[in-house]
Amino acid sequence: MTQQLLMIEDDTRLANMVGEYLRQSGYGFTHAADGNSGLAALAASPPDLVILDLMLPDMDGLEVCRRIKGQGGEAANTAVLMLTAKGDPMDRIVGLEIGADDYLPKPFEPRELLARIRAVLRRGGEAIPSATQKSMHFGSLEIDRDARSVTVSGSLCELTSYQFDLLVAMAERSGRVLSRDQIMEAVRGRELEAFDRSIDVHMGRIRNAIELDAKNPKRILTVRGVGYVFAKQQD
């Protein structure tokens, strides 16, 4: 079944260019030139993903995102990819906090937009535990999202905030082999940490914190030449 995209963007020339490119890539594409018509189109037929510009003529794009995520039913589960002004991190941060799934600064290359759309839709199809689920348990390992704490057999593990986010991302995708790029994509928004080999350093420190024997890990395993996998088995 063809995945459907809705672009809410007042720049008709840009929307036509993006629409042609995405249709050629196999997606269904609809365009709305302002927030109200975009919300109406979404309510009538919820797409798989909304490409949302933050600068709209009738309302702020952040408000559109709030309304999308605040709706009940199928529409509330629609993924949102924001188009933000280059060099304006606050819009990006606020957008992610209110539920946007990813962002892309303008101007952008259509190929990057396509790659981000594919990544967001792929994540949307994964069986990821609900973010409202307070804790995840894997044998003696407990990850508490609310407290942002990790314990093994009741003993608190010392992790940085970024390492906690990495561990959560891995645990949510337990049993799946993830490349370094996929791991970094899962914790997007922490650009200062987004260096490929820094993942290896952080994984080593996470192992030191949660594994009984970090040199012979049982929970976070290296898949040579690919990346890492969080093992599902109970200990």
Side-chain angles (χ1 to χ4, degrees):
M1 185 175 178
T2 302
Q3 291 178 303
Q4 300 298 316
L5 310 176
L6 167 63
M7 186 173 194
I8 306 177
E9 166 65 66
D10 62 334
D11 186 337
T12 302
R13 181 173 173 273
L14 174 63
N16 289 339
M17 179 193 73
V18 168
E20 181 178 357
Y21 184 81
L22 294 176
R23 289 189 188 100
Q24 290 176 355
S25 300
Y27 292 97
F29 182 86
T30 305
H31 171 232
D34 56 58
N36 282 313
S37 59
L39 289 169
L42 185 139
S45 180
D48 295 286
L49 180 142
V50 172
I51 305 165
L52 174 62
D53 186 27
L54 292 190
M55 300 295 291
L56 296 170
D58 57 343
M59 72 175 74
D60 188 274
L62 292 173
E63 177 60 25
V64 177
C65 186
R66 288 190 188 95
R67 295 191 187 186
I68 291 173
K69 295 300 182 179
Q71 294 184 67
E74 184 181 353
N77 296 321
T78 300
V80 175
L81 191 156
M82 300 187 310
L83 301 179
T84 68
K86 194 172 182 67
D88 192 351
M90 280 310 301
D91 281 345
R92 182 179 69 222
I93 292 167
V94 172
L96 293 172
E97 286 178 346
I98 64 176
D101 297 271
D102 202 354
Y103 65 90
L104 182 62
K106 287 183 172 181
F108 56 85
E109 289 289 333
R111 286 182 298 177
E112 183 176 5
L113 174 63
L114 177 61
R116 289 181 182 272
I117 288 170
R118 286 173 173 166
V120 170
L121 291 175
R122 187 166 57 243
R123 291 201 303 268
E126 293 169 354
I128 294 177
S130 168
T132 60
Q133 180 181 326
K134 179 180 177 181
S135 298
M136 291 183 285
H137 296 266
F138 301 89
S140 60
L141 173 67
E142 179 180 356
I143 304 170
D144 189 322
R145 285 189 179 92
D146 285 356
R148 292 185 65 81
S149 66
V150 178
T151 58
V152 174
S153 300
S155 298
L156 187 65
C157 302
E158 292 188 9
L159 295 173
T160 67
S161 177
Y162 185 64
Q163 288 160 10
F164 178 85
D165 290 342
L166 286 173
L167 180 59
V168 169
M170 293 287 292
E172 287 176 338
R173 296 156 179 81
S174 60
R176 289 191 56 208
V177 178
L178 301 173
S179 68
R180 294 175 181 84
D181 285 344
Q182 288 174 317
I183 295 170
M184 288 190 290
E185 181 72 26
V187 291
R188 180 167 295 282
R190 305 293 294 272
E191 294 96 337
L192 292 177
E193 302 283 355
F195 297 99
D196 188 22
R197 288 298 167 181
S198 75
I199 293 294
D200 297 336
V201 175
H202 287 298
M203 287 299 170
R205 291 173 180 167
I206 293 170
R207 282 172 171 160
N208 286 334
I210 71 170
E211 301 277 6
L212 295 177
D213 182 357
K215 293 183 178 179
N216 296 287
K218 303 296 183 184
R219 186 63 63 192
I220 295 180
L221 309 178
T222 300
V223 180
R224 195 172 299 278
V226 182
Y228 296 92
V229 60
F230 186 98
K232 285 184 175 181
Q233 77 268 14
Q234 304 295 301
D235 51 12

